[in-house]
Amino acid sequence: MQKIPITEARNKFMKLPDQAEKSQILAVTRRNKEVMAVMSWELYEGLLETIEVLSDPKLIKHLRMAIEDVEAGRTHSLSDAYERLGL
């Protein structure tokens, strides 16, 4: 994560999207303390989706069960799944 002083961020406002794209997240600082983050919209949406998934107990339970299945070798190949589904 790259840090950028707030005065520099203000002066380079129009260039921040390109800079955030390269660095993923820019930490904007005031008096050497992070006060806000600048990131691409795609990354922002991804973070929101992750929070939504993690806040759903049912979904987390299913994810844990799926991980256990993979670790125990209870998996099927894609071609086997297609064959079983008649696709």
Side-chain angles (χ1 to χ4, degrees):
M1 177 172 18
Q2 182 182 350
K3 293 184 180 184
I4 182 171
I6 199 164
T7 53
E8 185 179 338
R10 183 177 52 229
N11 293 336
K12 295 181 178 180
F13 184 77
M14 296 303 289
K15 295 179 183 178
L16 288 180
D18 296 330
Q19 199 170 350
E21 194 67 39
K22 292 176 190 170
S23 302
Q24 292 289 326
I25 300 175
L26 297 173
V28 180
T29 62
R30 181 187 298 147
R31 298 184 192 106
N32 286 331
K33 182 178 178 184
E34 291 91 355
V35 292
M36 65 184 214
V38 177
M39 66 187 83
S40 70
W41 190 257
E42 182 180 350
L43 179 58
Y44 171 73
E45 285 182 324
L47 289 171
L48 288 181
E49 288 177 27
T50 300
I51 291 168
E52 186 177 330
V53 167
L54 292 174
S55 65
D56 184 337
K58 273 186 171 180
L59 186 53
I60 292 299
K61 179 182 176 186
H62 289 292
L63 286 171
R64 285 190 178 125
M65 289 170 53
I67 290 169
E68 289 173 9
D69 285 343
V70 169
E71 289 173 346
R74 295 185 295 264
T75 62
H76 300 281
S77 68
L78 183 58
S79 59
D80 185 34
Y82 280 155
E83 187 178 317
R84 287 177 165 208
L85 294 170
L87 301 173

